Every structure is written in C-alpha cells, then in structure tokens.
Amino acid sequence: MGELSRDSGTPTGAVRGGARRAAARVGDGVAKGFTGGVMDGGWSPLAMVTSSLTWRSALYLAVSLVFGLGWFVVLVVGLSLSLALMIIWVGLPLLAMMMIAWRFGAVLERGLVRAAFGVSIPSPYRRLPPGLNPLKKLRTMAADPATWKDLLYLGLLFPITLIEFAVSAVVWAGTITMLFMPLIIALDDDGGVEVNLGPVSYWAGNPVEAIPICAGGLVFLLLAIYATRVLAIGHAVAAKALLGLSRSQAENRQLRERTAHLQASRARGVDAAEFERRRIERDLHDGAQQRLLAVAMDIGRARAKLEDDPDGARALIEQAHSGTKEAISELRDLARGIYPAILTDRGLDPALSGLAARAPVPVEVDVDLPERPPAAVESIAYFIVAESLANIAKYARATRASVRVAREDAWVVVEVIDNGVGGATARPEGGLSGLADRAATIDGMLIVDSPPGGPTIIRADLPCTW
C-alpha cells in the first residue's frame, strides 16, 4: 500500500509491528507491576537458568557490597564532618557538596538497578529553577523529599547488601564446590573429601566417587538461582520504594501525561476536521460546482437557440441532462464520504459489505459485534475500512483482502489485511495519517504493519463504552 503512516514516534500514532494499545494509557506503570522486569519471564528451572536476568542479578548481588560499604563510609565521614563544622561556615558548603554527591549516587544506583534487575525507576526529583544561581538550585534540592529518600536508601544500602552478599556467598559457594567436586579431588593430594550435610555425610576418595556430589550440586544450583531471584525482587522493591516516585507523584505524573495525551488528541481531531472540511470544499468546488455551472451555461445556450436552431438546442439540453446526472452522482459520492446513510440506518455490517462490493478485489468481511457501538466509533471504523480499501485499489496490487471488526473487552478492533506488495511509506497529510487523527479523537490507536513484499495489516483499536 502506498499511503500509510508508519512513523511510530509521530503524532499520527501509526506504529509498525506488534505494538498494542497498552502504550500511552494511564495506569500502565501500575499494570506492569511494582517490580517490573525482575518479575518478567517464567519461574520454571529452565527459564530461570536461561534468563540473563538471573545472572545479571547474581553479579550485582556479588559486587553490591562494595557500593554499600563505600557509601556507608562516605556518608558517615562526610555527614559527621559537615555537622561538626557547622559551627563555622565551612560546614554548610561541605554539607551541600555531600547532598550533591548522594543525589549523584542515587542516580547511579537507579542505573545499576535497571541494568541488573530490569527495573526502570523514573527520576522523582523536582525541576530545578532556571538560571545560574546555585543557591536557588541548592535550596530546591534541599526542599525536595526525594533528596532525603536518596540519603535513606544509601544509608540502608550497606546492611541490605551485607545480607544479600552473605546469602549469595553461601548458596553459590556451596553450588560451585559441589559441581566441581571431581576436579577438586583430582587436584587434591589428601586422598579424598568428606561432605557433611547435617545428618548425611558422604566420602569421596576419587573423582568418580564424587559424581553423586555433582548431582547434589544441581539441586544447590536451583536453590542458588531461586535465592538470587528472591533477593533481586527484595532489592528492587526497596530501590523503587526509596528511589522512585511516591504514590502522589506517580498519580500526578500520570495525570499530566494523560492531560498531554488528551490535548494532543484534541488538537489532532481539530486538524482532522479541518482537513476534512477543506477536502469537502475542494471536492464541491472542483467537481459538482463546475458541473452545475456547465449545466447552467448549456441550458442558457439552449434557450437562446430554442427558436432558431431547435436541433442544436435539443443537443445542448441532452448535454445539460447528462451533466446533471454526473453532478448528482458526484454529490451522492460526496455525501457518502461525509457520512453514509446506510451506516445510520442499518449499521456497520451492511455498510462495510457495501464497501466490499464496490472494491476492485474480492474482500471478505467479518463483523462480530454483539450490539451496535456508538455512532462515533461506527463512523471511524467505517472510514478506516473505506480509506484502506481505496489504498488497496490504488497502490497495493493485491488479489484479495479481508476486513474484520470484532469486540475485544472494551474495544472495537478493526483489521484490514491485503496480500499486496507492502512497503508502506509515510506521507504527510495522507489518508491513513488522517485516519490515525480520527482514531485519536476518541483515544484510539492506529497500527500499520507493511513489510516489503506484504502482507499489509492495518489495525485500529477504538475504545467503546457498551
């Protein structure tokens, strides 16, 4: 198809690939869960072993004690020195430097948590005042609750990482030792190794006898993997609670994003309506108006020739009659393009069947709606199908197409698929760009997937209150 909007970052909202309507919805952050990536993936042993998240978490838990101890020393020494020197002016700039340092440490920790656990923690800081006045910036930082939550997190990081390191060291050291027991015995000159697991003890005098210990090491490996995942979840929860947005901040940010989204949708709706008005005006001026003007001129000339040249007058009247029929046909098509009467009278299924009957390629129509959606949803669905079939006729070189309209939860899903050449290209103010703007007026989304060689899939998700 030729006239498709594919720029996923543009306001048209047309997205290539399997993007779904989960984008740009209020509450997405809550829907993804509090811990985000650390909960992703399966919890089966195979999924845990093959997941990079497990090994990234294990690496972080192994080295995070260094960060915890380092920040504990820096904070204890720096804050103690700052408070001790508060009686003279030196303590204030030192405390300001410490505040900047622990905020930087919190930013670094957010990056480490994202890299290790796949948890994205948005910045909770208040916007700093513009300008170069450092006192205003420091005053804003000091009044920001997120600054002191950062301090609390870094202060607790040492005991948290100490516990994580101790548990990780025990389970992973035991796992590695048991898995490599045959190699340890082969390199040991003492003649064997005894393994004591509470009431159970086992003596291995040679590498072959240590093979059962390797089997036990597999059990310890599973224990270590699951312990790592649990520790990672706990650390991610603590990091998100102290380094992330508070509940009120999250709600306010979501409301701002929702407001911005609605403002953009409204602006796109206004643009779409203005574009449609200009199209109707252009079609009237260049089409029906010109034909009616020609009809009036033909009738005037025929009236002038009526007595002197009846045959010429008759020919002009026939020409005017033909022009009138063409003007009526154009006006009928224009009215159908504004809002078809069949859609109002009989609903979406007959209206789409009428579009399919006029299409130049065979079109299969499947409409599965338990009841009629609101008029706005019906209208947008109809014009999405109409524009898509028009593009198929012009650009796709397809031999067949299909239209599906169905209800999915609180959404009306419209899909138009053709087996054409694909390779869609974005065109400003193109047909489907305008349809994406139409869908945005009711908070819908238009999705386009058109790889070179086809097939082309146009999907619209339209919210609907039944």
Side-chain angles (χ1 to χ4, degrees), residues 161-306:
T161 54
L162 181 61
I163 296 173
E164 293 171 349
F165 179 81
V167 175
S168 299
V170 169
V171 295
W172 283 107
T175 299
I176 294 173
T177 300
M178 296 182 71
L179 287 176
F180 292 94
M181 186 60 70
L183 180 61
I184 294 173
I185 293 177
L187 298 177
D188 189 16
D189 297 331
D190 294 338
V193 173
E194 182 179 3
V195 178
N196 292 303
L197 298 174
V200 180
S201 62
Y202 184 82
W203 170 264
N206 57 66
V208 176
E209 294 177 348
I211 293 178
I213 301 177
C214 290
L218 294 176
V219 177
F220 265 73
L221 176 62
L222 294 179
L223 175 63
I225 288 175
Y226 281 99
T228 298
R229 179 62 66 90
V230 171
L231 291 174
I233 292 175
H235 194 111
V237 169
K240 199 148 190 176
L242 294 177
L243 296 181
L245 300 170
S246 65
R247 181 175 296 274
S248 61
Q249 285 178 314
E251 291 175 352
N252 290 337
R253 179 167 296 187
Q254 289 175 0
L255 286 175
R256 287 195 298 269
E257 292 175 353
R258 177 64 171 170
T259 301
H261 177 71
L262 291 177
Q263 287 176 342
S265 297
R266 183 180 62 182
R268 292 165 60 190
V270 171
D271 292 342
E274 179 63 20
F275 175 80
E276 188 70 12
R277 184 193 65 80
R278 291 197 304 268
R279 183 189 67 82
I280 295 172
E281 185 179 68
R282 183 179 62 249
D283 291 346
L284 284 173
H285 182 271
D286 298 339
Q289 180 178 334
Q290 296 298 324
R291 293 193 181 278
L292 291 174
L293 180 61
V295 167
M297 293 176 63
D298 289 339
I299 293 175
R301 292 166 57 195
R303 186 174 59 182
K305 292 184 176 184
L306 191 58

Side-chain angles (χ1 to χ4, degrees), residues 128-179:
L128 296 179
L132 302 176
N133 191 332
L135 294 180
K136 288 184 178 180
K137 297 181 183 296
L138 290 173
R139 191 180 305 116
T140 301
M141 292 169 61
D144 192 347
T147 300
W148 305 103
K149 289 172 66 178
D150 291 347
L151 176 61
L152 178 61
Y153 174 83
L154 294 177
L156 295 175
L157 190 60
F158 174 59
I160 291 175
T161 54
L162 181 61
I163 296 173
E164 293 171 349
F165 179 81
V167 175
S168 299
V170 169
V171 295
W172 283 107
T175 299
I176 294 173
T177 300
M178 296 182 71
L179 287 176

